Amino acid sequence: MVVPNDLPGGYLLAPAALPGCQAWPGRSAMAAGRAAWDSEEVGDGLVTVFACGDVMPGRGVDQILPRPGDPELREAFARDARAYVDLAERAHGPIPRPVSFGWPWGDALQVLDEIAPDVRVINLETSITTSREFAPGKAIHYRMSPGNLPCVAAVRPDACALANNHVLDFGHHGLADTLRALAGAGLRAVGAGPDSDAARRPVAVPVSGGGRAVIVSCGTACSGIPAGWAAAPGRPGVNRLPDLSPATADGVIGQVQAARRPGDVAVVSIHWGSNWGYDVDADQVRFARQLIDGGVDLVHGHSSHHPRPIEVFRGKLILYGCGDCVDDYEGITSHRDYRGDLRLLYFASLEAATGQLTALHMAPMRARKMRLHPAPAADRQWLTAVLDRISRGFGSRVDLRPDGMLALRLIR
């Protein structure tokens, strides 16, 4: 069910106008987009957070990168990861091999360079390992060669959220390899670790002005995380939530508050919900709002293969589902009505002192040949219409701007 926003009172949140914008994807348009809401232009005291949906550079993506790992799969559909490359090529033509490490991100890297967010958070949904220890009882396993880790580093993430349903696809050895590889590359992992204390420990990212972004990563059973993957004292695993009860929400809030200092903004990155469908379960809505009431400033939801509704609750942003970002799904023909080939890059500007949302802009991309490109005009319009329709019950509206970016317009 979709639960409407019960925020008392009313207000309008609209982005500043963008004089002189050109059509997407011109660099001058992106620069103008940044000028409208970048902290250097509109005043001090803003923190801009980049968030995206699932980043899955394993399996087929791993096979087109410079240092592919073992392509073995144990799926009903495929026994070789290169089958997913073949599907993508059948859909949109040959993919050069090997591609550069930055290839899967494509034009998203330019967007990030132009907007220059203060904090970058991704949900990294793969094991980074050479292990052949396939986790039992799973239909799908994601594995990326450690030699291809520069693909993850290309987007310069400040935090790689790992509390998801694929990071232990190759067991505890695979998780240990993943943590070791990320640390060796200077990339910070959050949401998984050698024990429960490490898995629950937030990452704190310094931002301009002296504050920080405090980031917690957690995941739920409804996203497919097995119970045995939960970290425990002396046992590796992920920060798996037992349920979405008020007591569990209080526990997540406690993880945030244990690390938070005055002037910090707090982000909870949560892997939850089903793969398909626009509805948001009532318990997810209650849980997200309780996090906001407990001091969280941004709820970064993911797991669905397409965007889900957006809500601003008591002035704070809730992204119920950010969809996919990087993956090898391009040639898969099921669930076409959801347009899983369309992706969004989310840029949320928050007041550093209060965590209040001042603007949300989204860059629409389309996957072709396992690479992100600016979405064509018709696809931008389609995304805008869908996101506007599904967010309306939460009091949120979405506009398509002249520069091709999507922007949140909240009316109550």
Side-chain angles (χ1 to χ4, degrees):
M1 65 182 292
V2 175
V3 181
N5 190 336
D6 60 2
L7 181 62
Y11 56 93
L12 167 68
L13 177 66
L18 298 180
C21 282
Q22 299 178 8
W24 172 279
R27 287 182 64 88
S28 59
M30 290 309 309
R34 179 183 176 190
W37 52 285
D38 182 80
S39 59
E40 294 179 0
E41 297 293 331
V42 300
D44 295 333
L46 288 186
V47 174
T48 298
V49 178
F50 162 68
C52 65
D54 298 344
V55 175
M56 308 179 80
R59 209 169 61 175
V61 176
D62 184 61
Q63 293 303 303
I64 67 171
L65 291 169
R67 297 165 192 156
D70 184 349
E72 181 188 2
L73 297 178
R74 297 181 183 176
E75 301 177 8
F77 167 75
R79 297 291 174 170
D80 190 307
R82 289 168 292 194
Y84 288 94
V85 183
D86 293 341
L87 283 176
E89 290 185 321
R90 269 182 241 161
H92 299 117
I95 300 172
R97 280 178 263 180
V99 299
S100 68
F101 289 118
W103 174 278
W105 298 100
D107 293 305
L109 295 178
Q110 177 183 321
V111 176
L112 281 156
D113 284 346
E114 293 287 358
I115 293 177
D118 299 288
V119 182
R120 304 181 184 205
V121 183
I122 67 171
N123 172 52
L124 182 58
E125 202 164 355
T126 188
S127 184
I128 304 171
T129 184
T130 59
S131 171
R132 297 186 72 251
E133 183 188 332
F134 287 79
K138 291 206 75 204
I140 304 292
H141 299 82
Y142 271 87
R143 175 176 52 183
M144 177 189 192
S145 165
N148 283 332
L149 189 57
C151 174
V152 178
V155 77
R156 304 199 305 276
D158 293 295
C160 298
L162 299 183
N164 56 58
N165 61 314
H166 285 293
V167 75
L168 269 90
D169 277 356
F170 289 83
H172 289 152
H173 288 137
L175 174 60
D177 289 345
T178 301
L179 295 170
R180 186 163 44 247
L182 291 172
L187 301 176
R188 284 172 284 194
V190 60
D195 55 39
S196 51
D197 286 344
R200 294 170 184 166
R201 187 175 301 127
V203 160
V205 180
V207 297
S208 59
R212 305 174 305 165
V214 173
I215 302 155
V216 165
S217 167
C218 54
T220 68
C222 63
S223 71
I225 302 176
W229 286 19
R235 186 180 74 189
V238 302
N239 186 15
R240 182 183 185 272
L241 306 182
D243 51 40
L244 293 176
S245 68
T248 299
D250 285 340
V252 175
I253 291 165
Q255 293 169 29
V256 172
Q257 298 300 349
R260 192 172 194 173
R261 301 194 303 229
D264 291 346
V265 297
V267 178
V268 170
S269 186
I270 182 168
H271 203 63
W272 61 0
S274 60
N275 289 337
W276 305 102
Y278 295 120
D279 290 352
V280 181
D281 290 343
D283 59 348
Q284 291 178 272
V285 176
R286 285 192 296 266
F287 192 86
R289 291 177 178 179
Q290 186 175 342
L291 293 182
I292 299 297
D293 284 337
V296 173
D297 301 308
L298 193 162
V299 176
H300 169 218
H302 37 79
S303 181
S304 59
H305 293 317
H306 54 83
R308 282 195 166 127
I310 300 169
E311 179 178 22
V312 178
F313 180 70
R314 306 199 195 285
K316 307 294 182 69
L317 179 63
I318 301 172
L319 301 170
Y320 283 105
C322 291
D324 290 329
C325 190
V326 169
D327 60 32
D328 62 359
Y329 297 165
E330 190 177 332
I332 299 174
T333 57
S334 59
H335 298 95
R336 279 182 168 174
D337 290 347
Y338 290 101
R339 292 298 309 274
D341 61 323
L342 300 182
R343 319 288 166 83
L344 287 173
L345 311 176
Y346 296 79
F347 298 92
S349 290
L350 316 178
E351 291 182 0
T354 66
Q356 294 279 306
L357 181 71
T358 64
L360 173 65
H361 297 76
M362 295 157 279
M365 313 297 291
R366 186 176 70 175
R368 287 291 184 272
K369 300 184 179 181
M370 293 191 182
R371 187 176 186 273
L372 296 181
H373 304 267
D379 291 337
R380 298 195 302 263
Q381 293 165 0
W382 186 90
L383 268 173
T384 304
V386 169
L387 202 53
D388 182 72
R389 174 175 55 81
I390 65 176
S391 300
R392 216 172 281 187
F394 292 91
S396 301
R397 304 298 301 272
V398 175
D399 296 323
L400 179 59
R401 301 192 328 183
D403 67 348
M405 296 280 277
L406 280 61
L408 180 68
R409 169 174 52 97
L410 189 123
I411 301 175
R412 287 292 295 171

Coordinates of all heavy atoms in Angstrom, one line a residue, residues 129-134 143 170-171 173-174 177:
T129 N 36.0 -10.9 -5.0 CA 36.7 -12.0 -4.5 C 37.0 -13.0 -5.7 O 36.4 -12.9 -6.8 CB 35.9 -12.8 -3.5 OG1 36.6 -13.9 -3.0 CG2 34.6 -13.3 -4.1
T130 N 38.0 -13.9 -5.5 CA 38.2 -14.9 -6.5 C 37.7 -16.3 -5.9 O 37.9 -17.3 -6.5 CB 39.7 -15.1 -6.8 OG1 40.4 -15.3 -5.5 CG2 40.3 -13.8 -7.4
S131 N 37.0 -16.2 -4.8 CA 36.5 -17.4 -4.1 C 35.5 -18.2 -5.0 O 34.8 -17.6 -5.8 CB 35.9 -17.1 -2.8 OG 35.2 -18.2 -2.3
R132 N 35.5 -19.5 -4.9 CA 34.5 -20.3 -5.6 C 33.5 -20.9 -4.6 O 32.8 -21.9 -4.9 CB 35.2 -21.4 -6.4 CG 36.1 -20.9 -7.5 CD 36.7 -22.0 -8.4 NE 35.7 -22.6 -9.2 CZ 35.2 -23.8 -9.1 NH1 35.5 -24.6 -8.0 NH2 34.2 -24.3 -9.9
E133 N 33.5 -20.3 -3.4 CA 32.6 -20.8 -2.3 C 31.2 -20.2 -2.5 O 30.8 -19.2 -1.8 CB 33.2 -20.4 -1.0 CG 32.4 -20.8 0.2 CD 32.9 -20.2 1.5 OE1 34.1 -19.9 1.6 OE2 32.1 -20.1 2.5
F134 N 30.4 -20.7 -3.5 CA 29.1 -20.2 -3.8 C 28.2 -20.4 -2.6 O 28.1 -21.5 -2.0 CB 28.5 -21.0 -5.0 CG 29.1 -20.6 -6.3 CD1 30.3 -21.1 -6.7 CD2 28.4 -19.7 -7.1 CE1 30.8 -20.7 -7.9 CE2 28.9 -19.4 -8.4 CZ 30.1 -19.9 -8.8
R143 N 29.8 -11.8 -8.3 CA 31.2 -11.9 -8.0 C 32.0 -10.9 -8.9 O 31.8 -11.0 -10.1 CB 31.8 -13.3 -8.1 CG 33.2 -13.4 -7.9 CD 33.6 -14.9 -7.9 NE 33.1 -15.6 -9.1 CZ 33.3 -16.9 -9.3 NH1 33.9 -17.7 -8.4 NH2 32.8 -17.5 -10.4
F170 N 29.6 -15.2 -1.8 CA 30.7 -16.2 -1.8 C 31.2 -16.4 -0.4 O 32.4 -16.6 -0.1 CB 31.8 -15.8 -2.8 CG 31.3 -16.0 -4.2 CD1 30.5 -15.0 -4.8 CD2 31.6 -17.1 -4.9 CE1 30.1 -15.2 -6.1 CE2 31.1 -17.3 -6.2 CZ 30.3 -16.4 -6.8
G171 N 30.3 -16.4 0.6 CA 30.6 -16.8 1.9 C 31.4 -15.8 2.7 O 31.7 -14.7 2.3
H173 N 34.6 -16.0 3.4 CA 35.8 -15.7 2.7 C 35.7 -14.6 1.7 O 36.5 -13.7 1.6 CB 36.4 -17.0 2.1 CG 36.9 -18.0 3.0 ND1 36.6 -19.3 2.9 CD2 37.6 -17.9 4.2 CE1 37.2 -20.0 3.9 NE2 37.8 -19.1 4.7
G174 N 34.6 -14.7 1.0 CA 34.3 -13.6 0.0 C 34.1 -12.3 0.6 O 34.5 -11.3 0.1
D177 N 37.5 -11.0 1.7 CA 38.2 -10.5 0.5 C 37.6 -9.1 0.1 O 38.4 -8.2 -0.3 CB 38.0 -11.5 -0.6 CG 38.8 -12.8 -0.5 OD1 39.7 -12.8 0.4 OD2 38.5 -13.7 -1.2

